[in-house]
């Protein structure tokens, strides 16, 4: 099972973020001051719930092109029209007092889909540090070369089980990519060592 495979794809490339995929991000980051994040591809709101339940992080704004009904069940209230816009309109919501963008984005990256990952990275990372859950192969893709220079770190998490009732994990590895145009040296990211206590990642 993979987000990129020959199997039928979920609508809008939606794959809910499992809680185990968030653990390495929280273990590695020295968050310092309370993190107030924006979720630009909120979908069902599960990533928000995971991060807020495991840490002092707070989602202050969330959006999605087509939010799913369960997104209203997030543990912390968000901006009153946070779930009614897509990330292209995110600047309309700023300045919201936020420290990061954090999301598990679709991987469609096509004009036909109305979503272009490279455009999202280029736009958001110029505003705030932007943390995305991506296949680690993204770092070595020719099409990614222009934006990978904005990346400061990659936090590896291994393979991810995207479908709860599936027997299989993904066929590729994933990691949290941190993009920050204001603090990047322009030479690409450092890859942090994977920790043994990254509990429960199936690989």
């Amino acid at each position: 099972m993979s987000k990129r495979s020959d199997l039928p794809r979920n609508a809008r490339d939606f794959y809910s973020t499992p809680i185990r995929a968030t653990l390495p991000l929280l273990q590695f980051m020295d968050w310092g001051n309370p993190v107030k994040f924006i979720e630009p591809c909120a979908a069902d709101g599960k990533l928000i719930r995971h991060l807020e339940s495991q840490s002092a992080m707070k989602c202050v704004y969330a959006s999605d092109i087509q939010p799913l009904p369960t997104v209203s069940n997030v543990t912390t209230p968000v901006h009153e029209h946070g779930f009614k816009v897509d990330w292209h309109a995110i600047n309309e919501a700023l300045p919201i007092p936020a420290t990061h963008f954090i999301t598990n984005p679709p991987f469609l990256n096509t004009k036909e889909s109305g979503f272009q990952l490279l455009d999202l990275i280029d736009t958001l990372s110029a505003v705030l540090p932007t943390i995305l859950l991506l296949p680690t192969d993204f770092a070595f893709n020719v099409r990614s070369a222009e934006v990978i220079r904005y990346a400061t770190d990659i936090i590896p998490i291994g393979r991810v089980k995207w479908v709860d009732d599936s027997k299989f994990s993904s066929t590729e590895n994933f990691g949290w990519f941190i993009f920050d145009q204001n603090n990047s040296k322009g030479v690409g990211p450092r890859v942090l060592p994977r920790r043994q206590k990254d509990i429960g990642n199936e690989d």
Side-chain angles (χ1 to χ4, degrees):
M1 181 63 203
S2 172
K3 287 178 78 175
R4 293 186 295 174
S5 72
D6 294 330
L7 297 174
R9 303 191 63 78
N10 291 346
R12 296 191 301 117
D13 211 37
F14 166 64
Y15 292 86
S16 189
T17 309
I19 193 167
R20 289 174 174 174
T22 65
L23 297 179
L25 176 63
L26 296 174
Q27 290 168 358
F28 264 112
M29 296 297 292
D30 180 13
W31 295 106
N33 294 326
V35 172
K36 296 181 178 181
F37 68 96
I38 294 172
E39 222 292 27
C41 307
D44 61 355
K46 189 170 282 188
L47 177 58
I48 297 171
R49 291 191 288 274
H50 293 336
L51 294 177
E52 290 186 335
S53 68
Q54 297 177 87
S55 69
M57 298 168 70
K58 176 182 174 63
C59 179
V60 294
Y61 187 94
S63 75
D64 200 276
I65 295 173
Q66 293 180 332
L68 298 176
T70 53
V71 79
S72 62
N73 296 330
V74 294
T75 58
T76 303
V78 296
H79 194 277
E80 60 183 357
H81 52 262
F83 298 112
K84 299 178 183 178
V85 300
D86 67 32
W87 68 267
H88 291 89
I90 207 76
N91 284 335
E92 295 178 8
L94 299 173
I96 289 174
T99 59
H100 296 77
F101 292 107
I102 305 178
T103 194
N104 170 18
F107 208 76
L108 295 174
N109 203 32
T110 63
K111 291 182 179 179
E112 292 75 19
S113 71
F115 179 89
Q116 292 185 275
L117 179 61
L118 303 184
D119 191 13
L120 178 142
I121 294 170
D122 189 56
T123 300
L124 299 188
S125 67
V127 179
L128 292 172
T130 300
I131 304 175
L132 306 180
L133 180 58
L134 300 171
T136 50
D137 188 55
F138 181 86
F140 310 105
N141 192 305
V142 171
R143 293 184 65 192
S144 308
E146 185 63 24
V147 297
I148 201 65
R149 62 193 178 94
Y150 304 149
T152 59
D153 298 279
I154 299 174
I155 301 171
I157 64 174
R159 297 177 183 178
V160 176
K161 190 173 182 178
W162 292 108
V163 180
D164 289 339
D165 58 358
S166 173
K167 296 180 180 178
F168 307 104
S169 300
S170 59
T171 58
E172 58 192 330
N173 292 301
F174 285 78
W176 290 99
F177 285 62
I178 304 174
F179 299 91
D180 186 353
Q181 292 188 42
N182 296 313
N183 290 299
S184 171
K185 296 179 181 178
V187 296
R190 62 173 183 166
V191 180
L192 301 178
R194 190 172 176 200
R195 290 183 173 180
Q196 292 298 318
K197 65 175 183 176
D198 290 350
I199 305 168
N201 290 318
E202 295 88 354
D203 55 6

